[in-house]
């Protein structure tokens, strides 16, 4: 039956082909039309899926708290409009020289400085209650617009959290447990969008991407919300961590240092969350230890090593050191509480690695030693 159908289709194409076209050309033309139709259907499906997610987000917010208001009514969509009307002045951003990362205020524009974590929207209780409806531009023309729905949904969750904490209204966040699909998909969209940006960052950074990073950091540092969210989205967050680490390691652009610094600061903020900290520490220890062994092997046989990766390993060492230092300060002890399998692998034969590399690579050896002290300083005293 299949052979007969194919033969019938071939005869139909031959008989219906227009003059001046060969059967092959006409077949390719028909195939292109069919592919375009398939693409159209796929686009329609994506639009409908986005609309379903928007409705689920709106429903979940209504279940948590039917009515709430915001003093600052700046939404994700408003930020995008402002970007189009009044683009950011590039003079307020650090020019990407490829090496100068001394002006940390430039990276604060990404919303990833320590001060940024303290920023909160103040609530004006005298304003009337507003029912919030999440707008969504279904025809995404940029990676920023594709993040509008998840950013605004999570913005509203954070606002409800602050209002409920202040006793202004009552909210039932147990509803997050009952609708894992919506929260997981919203967080996944946010993380995927940030990954796209970090893979090909553009400076100066738009206000909207600044807000996206702020929402992410606020979400994982909010003790009540982060427990609900990370319980459902831990694997996705771990995948996001892995992606950011690989972005740092693989970036070979000449003017890469500003971008690497912004990625590094985001990883440091992720490491401030106690749930994410152990997994991120394990990932960082694994990458640093693996590179140290590769560098030692190359040094012993006097072979070439990857200079770009050598330069990129230092941000990972700094991130690791800051995360371990944070844990040490929080636990108020002389060493880190992290006791995973990667710690054992990292410390094993580390003294020998440092001894062999210290003459040729003194800076890297120093970084290894500093990390080892933070990991196990109590035993080394």
């Amino acid at each position: 039956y299949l052979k007969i159908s194919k033969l019938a289709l071939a005869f139909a194409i031959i008989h219906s082909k227009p003059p001046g076209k060969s059967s092959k050309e006409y077949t390719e033309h028909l195939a292109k039309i069919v592919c375009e139709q398939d693409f159209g259907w796929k686009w329609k499906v994506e639009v409908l899926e986005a609309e379903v997610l928007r409705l689920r987000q709106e429903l979940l917010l209504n279940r948590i708290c039917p009515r709430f208001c915001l003093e600052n009514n700046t939404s994700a969509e408003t930020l995008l409009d402002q970007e189009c009307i009044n683009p950011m002045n590039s003079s307020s951003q650090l020019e990407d020289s490829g090496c100068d990362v001394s002006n940390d205020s430039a990276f604060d524009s990404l919303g990833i400085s320590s001060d940024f974590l303290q920023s909160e929207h103040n609530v004006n209780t005298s304003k009337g209650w507003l029912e919030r409806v999440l707008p969504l531009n279904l025809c995404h023309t940029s990676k920023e617009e594709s993040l509008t729905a998840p950013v605004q949904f999570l913005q509203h969750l954070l606002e409800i959290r602050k209002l409920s904490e202040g006793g202004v209204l009552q909210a039932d966040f147990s509803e997050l447990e009952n609708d894992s699909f919506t929260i997981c998909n919203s967080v996944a969209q946010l993380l995927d969008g940030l990954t796209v940006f970090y893979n090909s960052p553009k400076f100066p950074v738009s206000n909207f991407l600044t807000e996206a990073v702020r929402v992410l950091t606020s979400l994982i540092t909010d003790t009540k919300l982060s427990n609900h969210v990370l319980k459902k989205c831990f694997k996705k967050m771990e995948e996001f961590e892995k992606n950011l680490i690989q972005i740092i390691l693989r970036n070979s652009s000449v003017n890469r240092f500003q971008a690497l610094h912004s990625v590094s600061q985001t990883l440091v903020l992720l490491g401030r969350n106690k749930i994410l900290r152990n997994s991120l520490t394990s990932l960082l220890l694994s990458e640093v230890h693996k590179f140290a062994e590769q560098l030692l092997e190359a040094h012993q046989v006097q072979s070439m090593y990857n200079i770009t990766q050598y330069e990129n390993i230092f941000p990972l060492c700094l991130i690791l050191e800051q995360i371990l230092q944070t844990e040490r300060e929080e636990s108020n002890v002389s060493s880190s509480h992290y006791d995973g399998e990667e710690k054992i692998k990292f410390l094993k034969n580390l003294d020998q690695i440092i001894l062999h590399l210290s003459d040729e690579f003194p800076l890297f050896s120093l970084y290894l030693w500093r990390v080892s002290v933070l990991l196990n300083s109590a035993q080394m005293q």
Side-chain angles (χ1 to χ4, degrees), residues 39-74:
F39 178 79
W41 280 110
K42 289 179 181 178
W43 181 82
K44 289 179 181 179
V45 169
E46 289 176 358
V47 169
L48 292 174
E49 287 177 344
E51 176 65 11
V52 169
L53 180 59
R54 183 192 69 81
L55 293 173
R56 294 189 68 141
Q57 289 171 340
E58 183 182 342
L59 180 62
L60 180 57
L61 287 176
N62 286 331
R63 285 176 176 172
I64 293 172
C65 180
R67 302 175 70 85
F68 67 99
C69 72
L70 307 177
E71 178 184 4
N72 185 358
N73 195 23
T74 302

Side-chain angles (χ1 to χ4, degrees), residues 120-288:
E120 294 182 353
H121 296 295
N122 296 321
V123 179
N124 184 355
T125 55
S126 64
K127 290 196 174 185
W129 298 106
L130 299 174
E131 291 204 0
R132 306 294 298 159
V133 178
L134 293 175
L136 176 64
N137 184 354
L138 299 178
C139 302
H140 306 318
T141 58
S142 68
K143 56 190 175 187
E144 287 90 350
E145 288 183 10
S146 67
L147 286 177
T148 301
V151 168
Q152 193 168 44
F153 167 66
L154 297 173
Q155 276 178 333
H156 290 173
L157 269 183
L158 291 166
E159 290 296 339
I160 293 173
R161 171 76 175 97
K162 292 181 180 70
L163 286 166
S164 63
E165 189 178 36
V168 178
L169 51 78
Q170 292 183 344
D172 182 13
F173 287 99
S174 64
E175 288 293 336
L176 292 175
E177 299 285 344
N178 302 326
D179 193 357
S180 59
F181 172 86
T182 301
I183 191 68
C184 286
N185 275 267
S186 300
V187 172
Q189 283 188 359
L190 175 59
L191 298 180
D192 289 342
L194 289 175
T195 302
V196 170
F197 165 71
Y198 284 129
N199 266 309
S200 55
K202 292 182 180 179
F203 295 94
V205 181
S206 70
N207 287 331
F208 178 73
L209 285 167
T210 300
E211 179 64 11
V213 176
R214 188 201 71 82
V215 167
L216 175 64
T217 54
S218 298
L219 190 67
I220 66 171
T221 51
D222 187 297
T223 53
K224 193 168 185 177
L225 280 181
S226 64
N227 292 334
H228 288 289
V229 172
L230 294 178
K231 190 181 297 183
K232 304 294 183 181
C233 311
F234 180 79
K235 289 185 177 179
K236 187 65 182 179
M237 293 293 294
E238 193 173 37
E239 180 186 340
F240 181 60
E241 294 171 347
K242 291 178 181 178
N243 288 336
L244 295 190
I245 290 173
Q246 291 306 313
I247 287 172
I248 291 177
L249 287 175
R250 296 175 181 175
N251 197 324
S252 58
S253 172
V254 174
N255 295 324
R256 67 184 181 275
F257 298 102
Q258 182 176 2
L260 293 187
H261 186 78
S262 62
V263 178
S264 299
Q265 290 301 310
T266 300
L267 283 169
V268 169
L269 290 177
L270 292 176
R272 291 182 181 178
N273 182 278
K274 293 181 179 180
I275 300 176
L276 295 173
R277 186 179 298 157
N278 281 350
S279 66
L280 181 54
T281 303
S282 295
L283 292 170
L284 291 168
L285 282 173
S286 175
E287 292 294 342
V288 173

